[in-house]
Every structure is written in structure tokens, then in C-alpha cells.
Amino acid sequence: MTDTTLPNKRQPAFLAIKNHILAKIHGGEWTEGDAIPSEDALAREFGVSRMTVNRAMRELATDQVV
């Protein structure tokens, strides 16, 4: 079973970040009103550019998750 929260060769980094955030929300770790980590913090955590995190966040906003 593949962990969808970690980037891998088959999954773009922005999608791994998006899935990570969704897992935290759906798992109840982050609830409505909680602040999620900043784009800079997530970029450092995943070892990607802030623009990569921004794409994940834009998709989550479009999906009305955040």
C-alpha cells in the first residue's frame, strides 16, 4: 500500500501535499477554524518550492476545502 501523503515518482509533489492536507482534515487532526501551516512551512517540510505548495493550496481552495 502506497502512502499518498509522501511524494513519489508517480505522484506530483503538489498532489502529495494536497493529499497530506486532506488526510489531516479528514482524519480530524485539523478541524474547522484551525490554522494550517504556512506555504513556507509546508515547502520546507516537503522540500519543494513555495509555488508547488501554492498550487496544492489553490486546488484545495477551488475544491472549497480551505
Side-chain angles (χ1 to χ4, degrees):
M1 185 163 159
T2 303
D3 184 348
T4 59
T5 63
L6 300 175
N8 62 48
K9 293 179 183 172
R10 294 185 203 119
Q11 183 178 54
F14 82 90
L15 189 54
I17 296 164
K18 181 179 175 181
N19 288 336
H20 169 79
I21 293 168
L22 286 170
K24 297 280 188 178
I25 292 169
H26 292 149
E29 189 170 335
W30 295 344
T31 60
E32 187 174 340
D34 287 348
I36 61 172
S38 69
E39 287 183 3
D40 286 332
L42 288 167
R44 283 191 303 274
E45 179 180 342
F46 283 88
V48 298
S49 73
R50 190 187 57 77
M51 290 306 296
T52 301
V53 176
N54 181 267
R55 179 167 178 193
M57 296 302 295
R58 282 185 290 125
E59 288 200 6
L60 289 166
T62 298
D63 296 343
Q64 299 182 350
V65 174
V66 296

